[in-house]
Amino acid sequence: MALPRAETGLGKLAETLAGPTRTASSFALTIALALLAAVPILYLADSDPVTAYRALLEGSLGSDRAIGETLLAATPLFLGGLAVAVAFQAGLFNLGVEGQLLMGGLVAGALGAKLDLPAGVHLVVTLGAAMAAGALWALVPALLKALRGVHEVITTIMLNFIAFSVSRYLVSPDGLLVSKTQPAATDPVHESAQLPRIWEPTRLHAGIFVAVAAGLAAWYVLFRTPFGYRLRVVGRNPVAARYMGISPSRTIVKTMLLSGGFAGLAGAVEVLGLHRRYFDAFSPGYGFDAIAVALLGFLNPFGVAVAALFFGMLRAGSVLLQAQAGVSRDMISIISGLVVAFVAATVVLQRVSLRRHGEPMPLPSPTAAAEATDTAP
Amino acid sequence: MSDLFSIGLVLAAIHLSMPLIFAAIGGLISERAGVINIALEGKMLFGAFVGVVAVWWSGSPTIGVLAGIAIGIALGTLHAFFAVTLRADQIVSATAINLLALGITGALIASVWGQPGISPSVEQVPSLTVPGLAALPWVGRIFSDLTALDYTGFALVPLAYYFLFHTPWGLRVRACGESPEAAASTGVQVIRTRYLAVIVSGVLASLGGVYLSLAAVGVFQAGMTQGRGFIALAAVIFGKWLPFPVFGGALLFGLADAFQFRAQAVGLNVPHELLIALPYVVAIVALATFVGRATAPAAIGQPYVKE
């Protein structure tokens, strides 16, 4: 079914970039611009861009182990990106993914260590609980927005800081969940709840399958279910949504819960697959990179997957980047920020060029995209 | 207990509110002109960083403040370029500025000072002593503990009120935020007004950051703003975009922060890690209970297209 014309900022972003060729060229352009813009900053940080980018490439793709690390880092980024993308598709600025994934990771670590269930069951229960934790963390902003019109940008960010506090407290020396053997962490997760390694000798674990499944589920929900349709209509044009009988407040709450659930899953997958326990500050800012990942992926699960791979490369390569080019990990946040800036800018350029060439605005549905790629008989 | 509620608490509340006051008044002006300002956090952080670097290189806190003003102008211009000229989505552009601020300032600490995470101590903005008033019992301490920045910050509030509601320029700013098309039809230069408003907000937010690093602690630490820019925005909304209520909101959140600090010092029996969350919780509660449907400037967030 066709969507109404976008009137909201995020809606216009999603609308402008529908269509595979446009998406691919925008993606390449945005990355190129971001990497280019990072060059002067690299100079400012006393390092040579050529060495830096070569180190990044080698550290992310130069060996089996590197590729494993790339996929490993891409996993929580993909799930986090899905969380952000789902919310953004509904016009909701969920910037609280970092806090939501922290809560998910914490619950996963706690239940993984404290419960005693058969293998498989334990894992499923833990993952489910983590998703619930993330969803719950998104509930307060959701309700405040739906019932009181409070903008979710501020509330979700506030909850990030509250999450840092609460999680730190729970693994502090007097905390409820702190391990007896290691400070600022929970006990190790039982084997029955761990995500097994799948590619020796890399650290890649089964979490990537969870992520892929989640991605497919997200695509299906967004583009093949009535709820997903309602979600996207609310995101493009809330006024049209009301005319169509869609309740924006219900959609807002459900969307934020879904978004928080994906975020919680992101945290859980890291804790259960990579670290095998929860520890304070286990996330190097995945929730914030997820914003860039979602925008770079144009809020579409397939795009988000590719964007997650790109950022996974950045993260994996950052170790060598530090070692060989002396550039700190902060460079990734910088490239993140540049990507977000250039997505905002390239969307504008795209709209300008569309208007200039007189092309009618395409309706952002998968069928329209499929028709656009059909070769003429 | 009397230790907790004391002049020390008042002083702490002033020092912790001041960055919020600067940033909130800045945010107020930009939002009144119709540009959402989620980038207060990033501008604050840049201001805090640049201020310390400038003092490190020059040895003079005055230069630090001036450097903060300069970076505020630069960032405000950049932000305005994205939001007003390019008409890019305002929240996304602001998020970019925040991410860049965190990354760039964090990365540059090591380059400037050779050590990661935190700068060495630099000379702080000096306190001013008001003769006569400083000798007063009980409240006298205030008048020997505040800096020129503090007094400026306090003065900003009535100045902003006067400017916005009793001058023709203020009227133009508000017109741009309520209905830019109507404003343009009466000859108001919407683009230029919005640019100026965003630049002013950049300067003020940056000064808030300068206060945070130079007046409060004398160092720069990675990520030291800790969400204060967003709390300042909460103060703007809580204060319904009016200078004096916004000031009240900033004081409230600063008081929560001060309370949390002092409670730790007097050993109040609440876990330290949870107390840190107090200002953020207060901000959420304030937004939820006192605001209801927020009465933002009508055209806020919408790009203006010149006909």
Side-chain angles (χ1 to χ4, degrees):
Chain A
M1 259 170 86
L3 289 164
R5 233 187 69 173
E7 298 294 329
T8 61
L10 283 177
K12 286 178 186 163
L13 195 152
E15 184 186 70
T16 307
L17 295 154
T21 39
R22 202 169 297 126
T23 309
S25 63
S26 295
F27 189 93
L29 181 67
T30 308
I31 294 187
L33 283 171
L35 290 174
L36 213 66
V39 168
I41 302 177
L42 280 169
Y43 274 124
L44 221 78
D46 295 322
S47 87
D48 166 41
V50 175
T51 321
Y53 287 142
R54 192 175 293 154
L56 260 180
L57 267 175
E58 202 190 307
S60 58
L61 297 175
S63 64
D64 269 358
R65 199 168 175 282
I67 297 181
E69 288 293 311
T70 298
L71 291 172
L72 187 65
T75 305
L77 286 171
F78 181 39
L79 286 165
L82 285 174
V84 176
V86 164
F88 277 23
Q89 282 270 14
L92 295 167
F93 283 95
N94 181 8
L95 300 184
V97 170
E98 183 74 6
Q100 290 146 23
L101 75 80
L102 216 62
M103 287 291 125
L106 180 62
V107 165
L111 289 183
K114 297 220 190 266
L115 289 183
D116 249 309
L117 295 173
V121 175
H122 196 182
L123 180 61
V124 169
V125 164
T126 311
L127 286 175
M131 288 184 72
L136 265 163
W137 209 249
L139 184 61
V140 169
L143 289 174
L144 284 178
K145 168 90 185 210
L147 299 174
R148 306 282 277 168
V150 180
H151 204 296
E152 68 282 2
V153 168
I154 304 182
T155 46
T156 51
I157 291 178
M158 294 290 108
L159 277 165
N160 279 345
F161 288 102
I162 298 177
F164 298 154
S165 264
V166 169
S167 62
R168 184 159 300 157
Y169 165 67
L170 287 172
V171 291
S172 66
D174 309 307
L176 289 167
L177 299 173
V178 71
S179 156
K180 296 145 201 98
T181 48
Q182 194 175 328
T186 58
D187 281 322
V189 167
H190 296 167
E191 245 196 83
S192 48
Q194 287 178 15
L195 287 162
R197 299 267 147 92
I198 57 170
W199 187 17
E200 300 294 336
T202 71
R203 304 192 291 167
L204 187 60
H205 55 78
I208 194 166
F209 298 136
V210 174
V212 169
L216 290 170
W219 176 83
Y220 187 79
V221 168
L222 273 177
F223 295 106
R224 286 280 184 273
T225 65
F227 167 67
Y229 176 74
R230 289 197 293 269
L231 189 163
R232 286 179 297 132
V233 170
V234 170
R236 305 295 168 98
N237 198 329
V239 176
R242 276 216 183 80
Y243 273 119
M244 294 163 78
I246 300 174
S247 157
S249 42
R250 265 205 216 152
T251 311
I252 287 173
V253 175
K254 286 189 194 167
T255 306
M256 287 293 279
L257 288 175
L258 183 62
S259 174
F262 278 122
L265 198 57
V269 152
E270 273 292 279
V271 166
L272 297 176
L274 178 59
H275 303 295
R276 274 77 193 279
R277 80 198 303 158
Y278 166 87
F279 60 89
D280 192 35
F282 77 91
S283 164
Y286 284 131
F288 300 116
D289 291 341
I291 300 170
V293 167
L295 286 171
L296 183 61
F298 309 125
L299 312 183
N300 178 299
F302 292 115
V304 172
V306 180
L309 280 170
F310 171 67
F311 273 90
M313 280 175 58
L314 286 180
R315 277 235 169 251
S318 70
V319 179
L320 263 181
L321 189 66
Q322 172 100 52
Q324 286 184 2
V327 177
S328 76
R329 306 289 194 98
D330 290 303
M331 205 61 214
I332 299 183
S333 310
I334 297 177
I335 298 190
S336 245
L338 289 170
V339 164
V340 173
F342 285 118
V343 169
T346 51
V347 167
V348 175
L349 293 174
Q350 294 254 329
R351 288 180 86 81
V352 169
S353 89
L354 275 175
R355 227 169 274 151
R356 216 172 268 156
H357 296 131
E359 215 180 278
M361 298 294 269
L363 288 168
S365 69
T367 33
E371 278 164 355
T373 52
D374 263 346
T375 46
Chain B
M1 208 43 167
S2 67
D3 242 1
L4 184 54
F5 298 99
S6 69
I7 198 67
L9 181 67
V10 173
L11 267 174
I14 294 177
H15 285 309
L16 287 164
S17 312
M18 206 42 68
L20 298 176
I21 294 172
F22 273 101
I25 297 290
L28 168 70
I29 294 178
S30 137
E31 298 227 334
R32 273 285 181 177
V35 178
I36 302 179
N37 207 335
I38 312 271
L40 293 171
E41 176 84 358
K43 294 175 186 172
M44 229 189 201
L45 194 58
F46 266 122
F49 177 72
V50 166
V52 172
V53 170
V55 177
W56 173 260
W57 279 339
S58 68
S60 154
T62 314
I63 305 267
V65 174
L66 290 175
I69 294 180
I71 195 77
I73 296 178
L75 286 170
T77 312
L78 181 69
H79 187 196
F81 176 68
F82 265 85
V84 181
T85 302
L86 284 188
R87 298 196 303 273
D89 183 84
Q90 290 173 13
I91 299 187
V92 175
S93 333
T95 304
I97 293 182
N98 294 335
L99 286 171
L100 282 171
L102 210 57
I104 294 180
T105 56
L108 288 181
I109 295 180
S111 312
V112 174
W113 292 294
Q115 63 194 39
I118 187 168
S119 78
S121 290
V122 295
E123 195 186 321
Q124 294 183 244
V125 176
S127 314
L128 299 176
T129 304
V130 178
L133 285 176
L136 285 175
W138 208 67
V139 290
R141 246 181 86 187
I142 298 183
F143 294 103
S144 56
D145 204 66
L146 298 184
T147 67
L149 277 178
D150 290 275
Y151 291 112
T152 313
F154 280 124
L156 272 178
V157 182
L159 275 174
Y161 169 74
Y162 183 75
F163 169 76
L164 279 175
F165 295 99
H166 291 280
T167 67
W169 302 296
L171 183 58
R172 287 179 206 133
V173 166
R174 287 184 291 129
C176 290
E178 299 293 338
S179 173
E181 291 82 15
S185 70
T186 62
V188 175
Q189 301 270 32
V190 176
I191 306 270
R192 195 198 306 171
T193 310
R194 282 187 169 178
Y195 252 91
L196 285 172
V198 175
I199 290 176
V200 165
S201 86
V203 170
L204 289 176
S206 180
L207 281 176
V210 167
Y211 186 97
L212 192 63
S213 62
L214 282 183
V217 290
V219 288
F220 177 78
Q221 199 170 11
M224 73 186 299
T225 44
Q226 293 288 302
R228 286 192 176 79
F230 299 111
I231 295 184
L233 197 58
V236 174
I237 299 176
F238 177 65
K240 295 200 194 312
W241 292 270
L242 297 166
F244 286 106
V246 167
F247 173 63
L251 274 181
L252 175 67
F253 301 143
L255 185 65
D257 216 356
F259 189 81
Q260 168 262 123
F261 262 113
R262 303 275 303 176
Q264 288 178 38
V266 301
L268 199 66
N269 207 5
V270 180
H272 150 243
E273 296 86 359
L274 288 182
L275 272 179
I276 292 186
L278 189 63
Y280 308 107
V281 173
V282 170
I284 294 185
V285 170
L287 286 175
T289 54
F290 283 86
V291 179
R293 293 278 155 189
T295 47
I300 198 169
Q302 293 162 25
Y304 168 66
V305 184
K306 216 182 212 167
E307 254 107 75

